Amino acid sequence: MRGPALSLAFEGRRPWHWMGLDIVMLNAFPDEATRVRAATLPAGLYADGIDVVFRRGSHSVQALKDCSLDIPRGSWATLIGASGCGKSTLLRVFADIVKPTAGTALLHGVSPAEARANRIYALVQQGSTMLPWRSIIDNVALGLEISGLPKSTRYARAEEALALVGLKGFEKSLPSELSGGMRQRAAIARALTLRPRFLLMDEPFGALDEITRDRLHFELLRILEETGATLLLVTHSISEAVILSDKVIVMTPRPGRISEIIEVDFGRGRTPDLRGDPRFVQYEAQLRRALHQPA
Amino acid sequence: MTPSLAPRRVILPVIYGIALLIAWEALAHSGAVSRLVLAGPLEIVVAGVRNWSELGFNAGVTLAQALIGAAIGNVAGLLVAICFVHWGFFRRAVFPLAILCEAIPVVAILPVLILWLGNGMAPKIFVAAFLSFFPMLVNAYRGLSNVDEEVRELLYSYSATASQMLWKVRMPAAVPFMFTALKLSACSSMIASLVAEWLASERGLGFLVVYYGQSYRVADIWSAAILSCLISLGLYGITAACERRALSRSSP
């Protein structure tokens, strides 16, 4: 997609508060040669020929077959497909939870393992799991606590993230006192405290009602624009995919493969009025066709 | 528990309890049952007051053995559970053996324990610890391994270490399970300590019961038994109160 030169130029213009992570990244590459190599690699999410084979005893299941994708830095991509198509598995490859049997996955030019060690991605899961004995702010600050930041910094960043998702005033509440939608916001805030370059979201809105989901979609888009993070989101909702993506990656099952990539050209500054746009209906129809195509 | 419900919960058992005591007292006075078989409640209270210093000292011995034993048993159970969680190989090797040991009727091997450990406090502490160990091991292991898959993945994505996982997730998650074990051990350790005193000892409530029994002091036996019962209840109550305090944060 974006050439190396452009990528480097883009790199130089990043605001410094998000560059805090670049310093971490540079420290991860002590020698000049690796640093240069990392700088010339795709700055977004990149996968080439990913195969994942799960072995259960004597028989094996091919979960992913030859998956390649390139999601430029700062853009938004959605993985969509019927259940069992391996979309969660592909997300987990980037999160270093699933190790690919073959192929390369890169996040900003580094392997998922390095990305995890440097905490350049943040995971938002389906269940918005919170530790029930911790207050919201302590849950949100958990990632920073694990990375060993002092309490004052942790709380300052957690409060900032809570304000961003509209949960100011719920710092001392317990997760059980919040609604499902609020817990999901808290889970997003928890991811944002890490100031991640990549947001990996696995059906984050799956358990929510339509109204809450709708509102959270546009809140998420606003946050993504403010932070410049790259999004990879797993969903099974066609309209969610259109609203939240620059690129919809359609997957088919048995074995999990990428069958089609649909570019959604709505740009930035998306609003709920999007749904009334005739192109929205066209994208939905196009996606539905792609999903129902025989493999 | 709402405050308005609390008196109702207490009043009924108290009324029935008082009625039972009156009936018991009446039965003891009616002459239908021999004094050697059944002592009346008043007689038991009088006996308890009369032997107060003797009962107090011996109860202290039994309580000390129970507490030391429970502490050792519970701490050991928790430590082994932590090892089980972290080393699957160790767990698979040791858990079946541990269950096998649990099936040992510890009272039946008491004579052997006395041969090994003498007739002082050691065998009593051992029995109390033995009976506290398994409930803690089983419950703590369940609690420590009771971690949601998503939470596990989340902490993995943070590159959390095993000890961070233990202290920030596993231990807090296991607290309710550990209290279940502690409540079990509050009662069982006192009984264990008392029973272990029956065979060979010069002190303790168990010794006192045997001593009173040999001289047919029925009211005195009952007073010792009831004192032991009250101490067990007290231990249970303290544990339950701690549990309520500890868990009030997470379940409003």
Side-chain angles (χ1 to χ4, degrees):
Chain A
M1 273 311 264
R2 187 178 285 134
L6 190 62
S7 170
L8 271 175
F10 194 55
E11 184 91 32
R13 281 200 298 270
R14 297 301 297 170
W16 272 103
H17 71 278
W18 289 105
M19 289 294 279
L21 282 156
D22 288 302
I23 293 163
V24 174
M25 296 292 300
L26 291 181
N27 289 341
F29 307 120
D31 64 305
E32 183 69 24
T34 323
R35 213 175 306 159
V36 168
R37 184 176 61 84
T40 56
L41 286 165
L45 291 170
Y46 174 81
D48 183 32
I50 297 282
D51 280 1
V52 172
V53 179
F54 290 123
R55 281 178 221 290
R56 290 193 197 89
S58 55
H59 74 293
S60 57
V61 177
Q62 178 131 29
L64 288 178
K65 189 174 162 62
D66 195 25
C67 289
S68 302
L69 52 83
D70 188 354
I71 301 156
R73 182 177 190 172
S75 70
W76 311 331
T78 304
L79 298 168
I80 193 169
S83 52
C85 69
K87 51 193 192 296
S88 281
T89 308
L90 187 52
L91 185 102
R92 270 146 216 265
V93 167
F94 283 112
D96 192 36
I97 295 168
V98 173
K99 319 282 176 199
T101 318
T104 316
L106 295 174
L107 298 91
H108 198 265
V110 302
S111 72
E114 286 170 291
R116 184 169 66 88
N118 289 297
R119 303 185 176 94
I120 63 166
Y121 77 79
L123 192 63
V124 178
Q125 300 142 305
Q126 184 168 19
S128 63
T129 319
M130 300 272 144
L131 300 176
W133 57 87
R134 281 177 168 243
S135 64
I136 289 299
I137 193 154
D138 281 326
N139 263 296
V140 167
L142 180 65
L144 302 176
E145 197 178 320
I146 299 287
S147 50
L149 284 181
K151 197 166 186 168
S152 55
T153 320
R154 239 153 57 195
Y155 274 21
R157 278 225 229 161
E159 272 165 17
E160 199 179 294
L162 281 170
L164 206 56
V165 300
L167 278 183
K168 223 181 168 74
F170 291 94
E171 289 87 353
K172 297 275 174 287
S173 306
L174 288 170
S176 54
E177 294 163 344
L178 265 58
S179 69
M182 287 158 100
R183 270 209 296 280
Q184 197 50 265
R185 274 172 219 239
I188 294 170
R190 180 171 61 190
L192 293 175
T193 56
L194 296 170
R195 297 187 176 163
R197 210 180 269 272
F198 303 100
L199 261 181
L200 306 179
M201 305 178 100
D202 191 357
E203 294 186 26
F205 309 120
L208 301 181
D209 62 274
E210 186 98 31
I211 303 159
T212 314
R213 203 187 310 173
D214 232 28
R215 195 163 8 168
L216 281 180
H217 282 158
F218 292 96
E219 278 184 30
L220 175 65
L221 292 183
R222 174 181 57 80
I223 290 163
L224 286 170
E225 285 192 43
E226 273 178 50
T227 60
T230 309
L231 173 71
L232 183 64
L233 180 132
V234 168
T235 183
H236 48 232
S237 156
I238 291 172
S239 62
E240 183 167 287
V242 176
I243 292 167
L244 295 180
S245 314
D246 298 321
K247 246 183 210 191
V248 183
I249 297 152
V250 182
M251 297 184 71
T252 51
R254 284 178 296 276
R257 261 181 317 210
I258 294 171
S259 63
E260 201 171 337
I261 295 179
I262 294 168
E263 307 271 346
V264 176
D265 195 20
F266 280 129
R268 293 293 176 263
R270 300 179 187 194
T271 60
D273 300 334
L274 202 71
R275 286 174 176 282
D277 194 311
R279 284 179 302 163
F280 183 84
V281 183
Q282 281 169 18
Y283 282 131
E284 274 197 331
Q286 191 183 351
L287 244 175
R288 192 163 283 121
R289 272 198 303 278
L291 281 166
H292 291 297
Q293 217 167 53
Chain B
M1 186 166 65
T2 54
S4 62
L5 264 171
R8 255 175 143 190
R9 282 196 182 186
V10 174
I11 282 169
L12 269 183
V14 165
I15 289 172
Y16 278 106
I18 288 170
L20 200 69
L21 283 175
I22 290 169
W24 182 2
E25 188 68 47
L27 187 68
H29 277 281
S30 68
V33 187
S34 157
R35 276 288 161 87
L36 275 181
V37 174
L38 190 70
L42 276 177
E43 206 186 336
I44 292 167
V45 171
V46 169
V49 172
R50 174 161 32 82
N51 299 330
W52 176 243
S53 66
E54 191 177 47
L55 281 172
F57 167 74
N58 287 290
V61 171
T62 306
L63 179 63
Q65 288 164 178
L67 288 179
I68 297 170
I72 294 172
N74 282 308
V75 168
L78 179 59
L79 289 177
V80 174
I82 290 172
C83 293
F84 275 10
V85 167
H86 288 98
W87 297 298
F89 174 77
F90 179 64
R91 186 188 76 241
R92 282 188 293 278
V94 174
F95 218 161
L97 292 178
I99 289 165
L100 198 72
C101 288
E102 198 197 0
I104 294 174
V106 70
V107 177
I109 60 158
L110 209 54
V112 185
L113 289 177
I114 287 163
L115 279 178
W116 288 348
L117 302 168
N119 60 356
M121 286 169 94
K124 288 84 178 176
I125 292 172
F126 180 89
V127 173
F130 190 86
L131 290 180
S132 297
F133 175 78
F134 291 100
M136 184 49 113
L137 172 62
V138 172
N139 279 289
Y141 175 68
R142 270 186 59 196
L144 291 170
S145 48
N146 177 38
V147 177
D148 189 272
E149 191 52 42
E150 278 201 1
V151 172
R152 214 189 290 260
E153 277 182 7
L154 185 71
L155 267 90
Y156 178 79
S157 82
Y158 292 153
S159 303
T161 61
S163 82
Q164 283 174 325
M165 183 75 183
L166 178 67
W167 289 108
K168 297 194 193 302
V169 178
R170 290 189 191 281
M171 286 295 248
V175 167
F177 293 83
M178 290 195 250
F179 269 111
T180 305
L182 285 176
K183 284 196 286 188
L184 285 172
S185 130
C187 292
S188 72
S189 62
M190 194 64 193
I191 294 169
S193 171
L194 193 144
V195 169
E197 283 163 355
W198 280 356
L199 202 63
S201 61
E202 297 95 40
R203 293 179 303 173
L205 278 181
F207 159 75
L208 221 50
V209 168
V210 173
Y211 171 71
Y212 290 152
Q214 279 162 355
S215 40
Y216 297 100
R217 291 160 66 177
V218 178
D220 292 345
I221 296 176
W222 278 100
S223 67
I226 286 169
L227 181 60
S228 155
C229 193
L230 290 176
I231 293 171
S232 282
L233 278 179
L235 290 178
Y236 185 90
I238 292 168
T239 317
C242 291
E243 181 185 28
R244 266 198 301 280
R245 263 187 82 94
L247 301 186
S248 62
R249 269 294 286 155
S250 61
S251 49

